Amino acid sequence: KRAGNKTTLQAAVSNVDIKVPENSPARGSVSQMELILEGATVIGTYDDLFKLLSSDVAKKPPMVQGVMRGVNGLIGGIVPYPRGSVGVGSTWSKAMDFAESVKAAGGNAKGSAPVTMRLSRFLTVGGKRCAELTKTIKGTMTMSREGGDPVKSSLNTTGTIVIDLATGMVVRANGT
């Protein structure tokens, strides 16, 4: 939903598939974590450059809060718009800090990942002039809970996002 220079989006988690090493202490709770996260939603309000202004994350259960803060960050990172003009083949980046997401879940984290965007092509979708962007996020973080051992984690995701050029809204997005 667009109002003035603010955009409000609702995101839902689906197709949850958590992978952990065979010898991980978290292995026994994977099914429960997947059930808790499946279908979880979050609503965030963003400015014109998709910086997060507000969110309903605080109203969620503690485990869901951390993940959904991450989702808010990814949405804000869905399209980190460049400040200037770009053409097909142009790339730009924005750093994504993991500390905020993990702190919401009651832990501590250090690490960040660059969100790299590339303008792939222009196309028409449903009669609307659009831009297709390729997005890559790669990074690592070390996180821990109070009194717990540090755990190193990595994020490696790629995908495409199609943006309506008239509104700046996401028409469709996919990724892994």
Side-chain angles (χ1 to χ4, degrees), residues 148-172:
D149 292 330
V151 176
K152 190 168 189 166
S153 181
S154 64
L155 175 65
N156 184 359
T157 181
T158 59
T160 58
I161 301 131
V162 176
I163 304 296
D164 180 334
L165 290 172
T167 64
M169 296 299 294
V170 175
V171 173
R172 68 176 180 239

Side-chain angles (χ1 to χ4, degrees), residues 2-157:
R2 183 100 171 132
N5 66 346
K6 295 179 183 175
T7 301
T8 301
L9 296 174
Q10 178 175 347
V13 176
S14 64
N15 302 318
V16 178
D17 185 16
I18 298 172
K19 304 276 189 224
V20 296
E22 289 290 330
N23 60 350
S24 171
R27 189 127 184 106
S29 58
V30 167
S31 296
Q32 181 183 7
M33 289 188 291
E34 289 175 342
L35 284 172
I36 291 170
L37 294 174
E38 186 69 34
T41 62
V42 65
I43 298 172
T45 301
Y46 304 85
D47 70 8
D48 283 341
L49 293 175
F50 266 78
K51 177 183 175 191
L52 181 64
L53 301 174
S54 65
S55 169
D56 71 344
V57 161
K59 299 175 187 172
K60 307 295 179 191
M63 181 182 172
V64 175
Q65 283 184 15
V67 172
M68 298 316 281
R69 282 192 195 277
V71 168
N72 265 334
L74 289 173
I75 290 171
I78 278 180
V79 187
Y81 289 110
R83 296 221 175 259
S85 299
V86 295
V88 172
S90 296
T91 61
W92 61 97
S93 296
K94 170 186 168 185
M96 185 171 84
D97 187 351
F98 295 125
E100 179 79 16
S101 310
V102 177
K103 183 178 179 184
N108 297 302
K110 290 182 181 177
S112 65
V115 178
T116 303
M117 303 297 296
R118 180 180 183 276
L119 176 55
S120 303
R121 65 183 176 135
F122 294 103
L123 66 160
T124 302
V125 176
K128 296 178 180 185
R129 188 82 175 123
C130 297
E132 182 181 86
L133 307 172
T134 302
K135 176 181 179 175
T136 304
I137 306 172
K138 289 184 181 183
T140 60
M141 71 173 158
T142 301
M143 58 185 176
S144 64
R145 287 193 170 268
E146 194 172 314
D149 292 330
V151 176
K152 190 168 189 166
S153 181
S154 64
L155 175 65
N156 184 359
T157 181

